[in-house]
Amino acid sequence: MTDHVHDLRSVREATDRLLTAVAKLDNAALAEESHLPGWSRGHVLAHLARNADALVNVFEGRPMYESAGARDADIARDAGRPLEEHLTDLRDSAARFLATSERDQDWSRTVELRNGITDLAANVPFRRWVEVDLHHVDLNIGYELSDLPEEFTGREIDFLADRWSGRPEVPPVALVATDGRTWRTGSAGDPAVTVSGTPSGLLAWLAGRGDKGASLSATGGPLPELPPL
């Protein structure tokens, strides 16, 4: 089973990095565009706060979000707040998530996430770590995919390679990182295409971020297009 204690510690560290970086911004910077199309930096921060509360709901057996519409409305409502309100909300919602996740509980139980997706409770801390660190990159304030912890990058590539496995619209692909690690993804069969590059470059492609594969090399065919996450 995933080491949820380790991952909760990593969530704390990632949250501290995020808060330290965001505290250096001003209100005008929050209104500027993030790396996510249609979202300002304020939208990203509002999403992070509401995601923490949504994962509290998951731990406590409630629906993660009331509805997709309510989730989007909450983000839109909170996006334009001043910096200090964002910082307070980020700290308080992170504290609620950590307090809930540090209670004694059955970490082997299955919990329900968004859109009917299920997972082990032990994997939820890593999912929160992904939200915090990837969206820190999305803020477009100098924290890059190449700055992510090596462990995080490898585990997120593991997760995303598995996510795209068995998808008929994605051809069989072999992934080869410059540090020697390899993965398989896409539909069943022997990979005709091998995609090679740095771990951060592979993550960018799998997650639809950064250069989205521009820094990668593909042999045996063109770089496949991945569906949106």
Side-chain angles (χ1 to χ4, degrees):
M1 184 183 293
T2 301
D3 185 351
H4 63 274
V5 175
H6 167 80
D7 287 347
L8 287 170
R9 185 165 57 249
S10 298
V11 170
R12 285 185 182 276
E13 293 169 355
T15 301
D16 288 344
R17 281 194 299 272
L18 174 74
L19 289 168
T20 298
V22 171
K24 297 175 183 177
L25 303 178
D26 56 26
N27 292 335
L30 293 186
E32 294 174 358
E33 291 185 0
S34 72
H35 283 314
L36 297 179
W39 271 18
S40 69
R41 292 181 178 125
H43 284 87
V44 176
L45 298 180
H47 165 62
L48 277 169
R50 300 288 69 78
N51 172 264
D53 285 337
L55 292 177
V56 171
N57 289 337
V58 168
F59 276 128
E60 296 184 347
R62 297 186 295 272
M64 187 169 177
Y65 294 100
E66 180 181 331
S67 66
R71 170 188 175 273
D72 294 344
D74 286 348
I75 293 170
R77 178 198 66 206
D78 295 341
R81 297 176 300 181
L83 175 63
E84 286 306 316
E85 289 186 26
H86 275 295
L87 287 170
T88 298
D89 194 15
L90 285 167
R91 290 190 193 98
D92 290 350
S93 59
R96 288 191 292 270
F97 168 77
L98 289 168
T100 301
S101 58
E102 288 169 353
R103 296 174 190 162
D104 288 338
Q105 56 189 292
D106 177 9
W107 288 99
S108 66
R109 74 188 189 281
T110 298
V111 294
E112 184 170 344
L113 301 163
R114 196 175 165 214
N115 300 324
I117 294 172
T118 59
D119 202 351
L120 295 179
N123 292 333
V124 173
F126 181 67
R127 286 180 175 270
R128 177 59 183 173
W129 184 10
V130 170
E131 290 287 328
V132 175
D133 249 348
L134 271 189
H135 284 315
H136 189 167
V137 174
D138 291 334
L139 284 172
N140 188 21
I141 56 175
Y143 188 63
E144 307 294 342
L145 289 169
S146 57
D147 296 320
L148 292 166
E150 181 179 354
E151 178 202 352
F152 174 94
T153 299
R155 288 177 63 186
E156 183 63 356
I157 292 175
D158 289 343
F159 175 81
L160 292 172
D162 182 68
R163 178 167 182 163
W164 298 127
S165 293
R167 298 283 291 268
E169 69 271 38
V170 181
V173 177
L175 305 174
V176 180
T178 50
D179 62 7
R181 286 178 291 178
T182 61
W183 297 264
R184 289 277 303 272
T185 194
S187 50
D190 293 331
V193 178
T194 297
V195 176
S196 305
T198 63
S200 59
L202 292 171
L203 176 58
W205 176 60
L206 290 167
R209 284 170 162 83
D211 62 17
K212 300 182 181 179
S215 64
L216 303 176
S217 62
T219 58
L223 183 71
E225 289 190 21
L226 297 176
L229 278 174

